Structure formats: structure tokens, C-alpha cells
Amino acid sequence: MAAPAAPQRHVICMKWGTKYGPEYVNRLYAMVRRHLAGDFNFVCLTDDTMDIRNEVQCLPIPPLKLPSGIPERGWNKLATFAADLYGLKGTALFLDVDVVVVGPLDDFFTQPGEFLIIHDYKRPWRITGNSSVYRFELGAHPDVLEYFRGHFEEIRRRFRNEQAYLSDMLHGQGKLAYWPKDWCPSFKYHCIPRWPTNYWKPPFVPQGARVVIFHGECNPPDALAGRRNRRFRHIEPASWVAEHWHE
């Protein structure tokens, strides 16, 4: 008797608009390939497939029909919870395109939990997760997207962004869990040495880190060049970014 097929693994990212070029997708794929053993399918949900490498399966972002002119709050990520996302089946690990993978990813697919997300860095007493890295079974949470589509104005009043809504919805169902604390550090909060040593000590990779999250002030090229998008918040160049963030 033939052995049963292994569950299919998907790594999903999203790129829309002009903030991130195709190099972000291409480098993310390369980092995942270096740090995830075995077979996986890499998917980019995008509105522009130009110059994205052939190993990436590019698919359109399912339309959410959001009102024009509203602030971008990551709502598009909720499209990953479609009841049928282009027929994809199995376990999905979502990664923001601007993360830097620095350690093994295999355990992200085996860590116990129905829905896993990063716990909020700044206010850990809240249930809110950071959706730069989350894992779920494709098609298992269609109510997340269905309720959003039918109650968008109510959700906008209650929640600042998609990750606050998503965390609240799945927490209410008893399905919310968090990654181990060390796996997904924030570049801003965990990698920059404390003042005043940040003026002579470079940013570092915290022990146990696997995916470094960039949010708020820097993207990987900023960190590599020693740029920080706030006055009086100096950083030295983070040379280790170049060791990981490449094809």
C-alpha cells in the first residue's frame, strides 16, 4: 500500500501598490528556500507580477471591494481566509514581504495550535497579534472574511487594522495562539542596542530568532544602510541583513 501523501505546505505573501518592488518577493522566496526543508508551494497574491521569479505562484488578490480613499490598514490580508483560495489545500504560513528570515522555518508548520500569530510587542497584555507571520489551514476560517465583507463599517469603527480584528475574532472562538516569544523578534524593539550604545553598537540578531519583523521605522535596506525614519533615533548599519536578505 502506498504511503499517504504528506500534507501540502504553502508559504503565502502579498504585494500590492508600489511600496515594495519584486525584489522583496524574490528575496523572501530565496530565504524561505534556504530555511525550510522539503517541498513547499510559494504563493504571492499580487496586483503586479512583473519581474517576480518563476518559482513563485502569482495569483490575483481576491477583491474585498473596500471604499476608495481609506487608509491602508492591511485589510487585504483578510483575503487569505477565503473559503476557497484558488483551490489551494493544506497548511499556509503567511509572511510579510519585508521580513528577514534568519533561522529554520520547519517548526512554524508543526507548532501546536489552530491559528498562530505573533503576540503584540508593545502591549503584551492585549490579545492583539502582529500579522507579519501567521499560520492557518486554508479554508478553515471563512467566517473571518465573510463577516468582514458584511460588516466593514462596524469593524472599522471597532478595530484600527486587520490584525486587531483578526485576533479578536479568533480569540472569541478559542482558536488564537501565539508563536514562541523568541521566534519573531521586532527589529525596532529587540535588535537595536539601547541608547546611547546604539550610536556605536550595530543592531544584532537576538538569540533564538527565526524571522525578524520590520515595522514602523525601517525596512531591510534601511537597516542595512543604517537609516532610521525618525529623527534622533540613530542606528548603525545592520550588516547581518545582507547575509540573509538576498536571492
Side-chain angles (χ1 to χ4, degrees), residues 67-239:
S68 60
I70 64 171
E72 201 292 297
R73 300 293 189 193
W75 301 115
N76 278 333
K77 290 185 186 180
L78 298 177
T80 60
F81 296 98
D84 182 2
L85 187 63
Y86 298 106
L88 300 175
K89 305 291 184 184
T91 305
L93 177 67
F94 182 93
L95 299 174
D96 274 351
V97 291
D98 60 348
V99 303
V100 173
V101 181
V102 297
L105 296 174
D106 305 76
D107 292 340
F108 283 87
F109 284 93
T110 58
Q111 178 72 10
E114 189 166 349
F115 177 85
L116 288 122
I117 195 169
I118 304 169
H119 203 175
D120 182 69
Y121 299 113
K122 198 171 182 180
R123 301 176 182 86
W125 58 89
R126 292 171 23 176
I127 65 165
T128 302
N130 179 303
S131 62
S132 294
V133 183
Y134 61 88
R135 190 202 77 205
F136 63 105
E137 292 299 308
L138 287 158
H141 310 285
D143 49 329
V144 169
L145 181 56
E146 290 168 5
Y147 190 85
F148 173 80
R149 282 177 163 152
H151 302 81
F152 177 63
E153 291 303 327
E154 169 203 329
I155 290 167
R156 279 187 68 196
R157 289 193 296 269
R158 291 185 57 200
F159 302 104
R160 182 176 182 273
N161 51 34
E162 125 284 340
Q163 63 191 16
Y165 161 67
L166 177 61
S167 301
D168 183 83
M169 182 95 169
L170 291 173
H171 173 75
Q173 298 174 1
K175 299 175 180 176
L176 185 69
Y178 305 107
W179 300 117
K181 185 178 179 181
D182 295 339
W183 286 11
C184 303
S186 158
F187 180 82
K188 178 167 64 172
Y189 294 130
H190 303 125
C191 300
I192 299 173
R194 292 188 177 184
W195 184 90
T197 64
N198 59 303
Y199 280 86
W200 62 85
K201 290 184 177 181
F204 58 94
V205 178
Q207 187 173 2
R210 304 190 182 200
V211 182
V212 177
I213 309 307
F214 287 79
H215 56 106
E217 299 174 24
C218 296
N219 282 330
D222 298 319
L224 183 58
R227 292 190 300 263
R228 200 168 178 184
N229 300 324
R230 292 185 67 179
R231 295 182 66 189
F232 312 118
R233 298 290 182 91
H234 177 81
I235 59 169
E236 289 290 290
S239 60

